Amino acid sequence: MGSEGAIRLLLVCVGGAIGSVARYLVGGWLLSALGAGFPWGTLAVNLTGSFLIGLIMQLSLTTEAVGPTLRIFLTTGIMGGFTTYSSFNYETLRYFSESAIALGLLNMAATIFGCLAMGALGLFAARAISGG
């Protein structure tokens, strides 16, 4: 890895830390403000992250406002720590914008149902390991 690659890796690490802390703070604030009846924090970071990654990617790919290194810091780093839903959202919307409707629908179905299934599998595995 060259020096440019090392710098980008460092920026992803720093950005990921920033995004993770931001997610924790937003989630905690909304939990205390709105209660635990609905996952408002998760919804807020996923909606915000989806908006921001769309904004950042569009600006970086169509203008010179966001260069490649800043894009990696903001998207892979900060948004990666803040929410992974934003990446899923951008990728699915990209398929639709490229008229790859079947791939977009496949990505949606695989992500939604796959993540739910794997989450259930993880719960069952943890219960089996812990005896509960």
Side-chain angles (χ1 to χ4, degrees):
M1 174 182 303
S3 63
E4 184 176 328
I7 290 169
R8 286 184 173 184
L9 180 62
L10 178 63
L11 288 172
V12 168
C13 292
V14 171
I18 292 168
S20 295
V21 169
R23 180 184 182 112
Y24 175 77
L25 292 174
V26 168
W29 174 67
L30 288 172
L31 178 65
S32 67
L34 300 174
F38 187 82
W40 294 111
T42 300
L43 180 61
V45 297
N46 285 339
L47 293 174
T48 304
S50 293
F51 169 78
L52 290 173
I53 201 168
L55 178 75
I56 294 163
M57 290 301 293
Q58 184 66 20
L59 288 173
S60 71
L61 296 174
T62 60
T63 72
E64 294 182 17
V66 180
T69 300
L70 179 58
R71 181 182 75 226
I72 288 170
F73 171 68
L74 294 172
T75 58
T76 306
I78 294 177
M79 291 298 101
F82 191 62
T83 173
T84 59
Y85 185 81
S86 57
S87 296
F88 160 76
N89 185 64
Y90 174 76
E91 292 160 355
T92 302
L93 289 173
R94 189 186 76 227
Y95 284 133
F96 290 148
S97 71
E98 296 171 354
S99 297
I101 305 303
L103 285 175
L105 293 172
L106 175 62
N107 193 40
M108 288 174 59
T111 300
I112 293 167
F113 296 113
C115 288
L116 286 172
M118 293 304 288
L121 184 61
L123 289 173
F124 293 136
R127 288 177 183 154
I129 292 168
S130 68

